[in-house]
Amino acid sequence: MHDNYIDLISIENLFQAWSEFRVGKGKRVDVQEFERNLEDNLFDLQVKLASKTYKHEGYQSFYVSDPKRRHIHKAQVHDRVLHHLLYKYLYALFDPNFIYDSYSCRVNKGTHNGVKRLKKFTRIVSKNYTRDCWALKLDIKKFFASVDHNILLKLLKKKISDQDILWLLGNVINSFHSDQRVGKGIPLGNLTSQIFANIYMNELDQFMKHEMKTKYYLRYADDFVILSQNKKFLYPCIDTSQQFLQSRLKLELHPKKILVRKLDWGIDFLGYIVLPHYILPRTKTKRRMFKKLEEKIGADNFNQSLQSYLGYLKHANSYRIEKELKNKVWFLRKVV
């Protein structure tokens, strides 16, 4: 842990951040160009940081579909190296204070562990599937575009006293404004946005666990679930959550994504459907897998896509679907 700015921005730390950033990116043109003059580029970055003349540059903007259409903002290579440095620093500082059941972008967490935890919660709440189990599923409306810069900086100041580190974090945070709204938004594409999101939403997590006393609560990014045997317990949680989000974080719930589901109907969370005794793939995801494989047959990345889908299915009770998928692949290869 680096207690001061000078230690944090040392050239040794910048080289370490570079080596972590570079993993899997060696074939990208912008990364190759940066690497050609690596030492000069990193020493130049270090000088600008030390003299506090550093200014985060602009972003390259584009869209991806995964399958939801997302607006990505990609920073320059030297800025992304700095993001790795700051991410590592912030993660070590803030992660120990996060609740256990926060699953986004954390070591030994992730989507699959989040779904397993939800499965465990449903079994506990339903007394091994002998009682009712209800789930309230909520989602933040345009979360990344709505994060308030001033609130985020106040949260950072709770654990960071070094004014130079705060200056640098402010430089990164204020490098982006969503939809021309000054002081709002963190970009999808920055590694730092992942830890900023967890720091921001940790306020909700702490409120849910310690003030609302919701024992069976878990969150992944801006999606969160509360479980109870009693359906009537869940409805007041909607208004209470909304009030907290608006007053403390300047966020609001997505009105079309407020769902109360009985376990027997299936709880849709993180790409899977949790049912008594089973975890199943989403029907939409299954259809999309088959369609994408048909489109990609013969392509260079076909096997990569197939292994990705098989990996997804491995975490569900999906033997029949997996067999169907393999048969489909065999047939497609024969046709081609």
Side-chain angles (χ1 to χ4, degrees):
M1 175 60 65
H2 307 287
D3 294 325
N4 64 70
Y5 182 69
I6 297 303
D7 287 346
L8 176 65
I9 63 162
S10 69
I11 194 65
E12 293 82 7
N13 284 337
L14 287 172
F15 270 99
Q16 180 63 34
W18 159 258
S19 67
E20 292 167 4
F21 160 77
R22 190 188 179 281
V23 174
K25 302 183 184 74
K27 293 182 180 180
R28 298 180 185 175
V29 174
D30 56 348
V31 176
Q32 289 176 350
E33 288 176 351
F34 188 90
E35 193 167 20
R36 283 193 198 109
N37 300 293
L38 179 61
E39 290 190 8
D40 288 345
N41 286 328
L42 289 182
F43 274 101
D44 180 60
L45 176 59
Q46 204 275 334
V47 167
K48 286 178 180 175
L49 290 169
S51 63
K52 292 177 68 178
T53 56
Y54 167 82
K55 184 167 175 58
H56 196 292
E57 292 188 27
Y59 294 85
Q60 177 190 351
S61 168
F62 57 93
Y63 289 90
V64 298
S65 297
D66 63 343
K68 185 178 176 181
R69 193 166 186 257
R70 298 182 187 278
H71 195 186
I72 305 297
H73 290 83
K74 180 180 173 184
Q76 304 295 317
V77 172
H78 63 276
D79 293 324
R80 283 147 64 202
V81 171
L82 179 64
H83 296 167
H84 272 260
L85 181 74
L86 291 175
Y87 178 86
K88 193 173 180 179
Y89 165 74
L90 291 170
Y91 189 97
L93 188 62
F94 282 90
D95 191 79
N97 299 110
F98 294 158
I99 66 167
Y100 181 87
D101 289 307
S102 164
Y103 285 89
S104 175
C105 305
R106 298 179 69 199
V107 176
N108 297 322
K109 298 293 182 177
T111 56
H112 298 132
N113 284 325
V115 173
K116 284 179 187 174
R117 182 70 163 173
L118 176 59
K119 178 70 175 173
K120 182 178 181 179
F121 278 179
T122 62
R123 194 172 68 247
I124 295 170
V125 171
S126 67
K127 307 288 186 186
N128 278 329
Y129 313 119
T130 61
R131 305 277 181 88
D132 284 347
C133 174
W134 292 89
L136 170 63
K137 190 165 176 285
L138 300 169
D139 186 300
I140 308 293
K141 184 179 179 182
K142 295 184 177 179
F143 170 71
F144 281 89
S146 302
V147 168
D148 185 277
H149 292 184
N150 288 332
I151 293 173
L152 177 56
L153 283 166
K154 282 178 185 176
L155 295 175
L156 293 170
K157 287 175 184 176
K158 286 184 178 181
K159 294 190 73 69
I160 302 169
S161 58
D162 189 299
Q163 292 303 307
D164 290 335
I165 294 177
L166 289 169
W167 166 82
L168 181 56
L169 288 167
N171 198 318
V172 173
I173 291 167
N174 290 315
S175 69
F176 178 82
H177 304 281
S178 62
D179 303 322
Q180 308 302 312
R181 293 191 298 164
V182 176
K184 290 281 188 179
I186 51 177
L188 279 169
N190 277 11
L191 180 63
T192 47
S193 293
Q194 298 176 6
I195 188 68
F196 288 154
N198 275 338
I199 292 168
Y200 208 83
M201 290 297 285
N202 182 56
E203 297 299 295
L204 175 69
D205 297 341
Q206 300 297 335
F207 174 75
M208 286 290 188
K209 295 297 288 184
H210 301 301
E211 294 188 46
M212 286 188 66
K213 310 291 184 185
T214 51
K215 188 173 182 181
Y216 301 106
Y217 162 89
L218 65 160
R219 179 182 62 80
Y220 185 97
D222 57 347
D223 289 345
F224 51 106
V225 178
I226 304 167
L227 299 177
S228 176
Q229 274 187 15
N230 186 352
K231 184 180 179 182
K232 291 180 180 177
F233 167 81
L234 297 175
Y235 285 107
C237 294
I238 300 170
D239 287 337
T240 309
S241 302
Q242 179 74 293
Q243 288 167 14
F244 177 85
L245 288 165
Q246 287 178 336
S247 63
R248 294 280 292 276
L249 299 176
K250 295 186 180 178
L251 299 173
E252 58 181 294
L253 295 175
H254 197 304
K256 294 181 180 178
K257 294 184 179 179
I258 298 172
L259 298 172
V260 176
R261 299 279 298 177
K262 196 174 184 181
L263 175 59
D264 294 347
W265 306 342
I267 303 168
D268 186 338
F269 190 56
L270 302 180
Y272 296 89
I273 306 294
V274 175
L275 288 149
H277 308 289
Y278 293 99
I279 298 174
L280 297 177
R282 277 180 180 154
T283 304
K284 280 196 285 188
T285 305
K286 176 190 166 184
R287 283 199 298 264
R288 190 171 65 251
M289 282 192 303
F290 280 83
K291 183 182 175 185
K292 288 287 184 184
L293 285 175
E294 281 191 44
E295 292 172 354
K296 288 190 173 186
I297 190 69
D300 292 341
N301 63 346
F302 178 84
N303 284 332
Q304 185 181 346
S305 296
L306 175 61
Q307 292 309 313
S308 174
Y309 294 143
L310 290 173
Y312 162 78
L313 292 172
K314 183 179 71 175
H315 295 277
N317 303 97
S318 54
Y319 172 78
R320 284 167 57 191
I321 298 172
E322 197 173 328
K323 191 173 180 182
E324 188 182 343
L325 187 69
K326 288 177 178 177
N327 288 339
K328 180 76 171 178
V329 169
W330 179 86
F331 173 75
L332 287 171
R333 282 176 167 157
K334 284 288 185 183
V335 170
V336 171

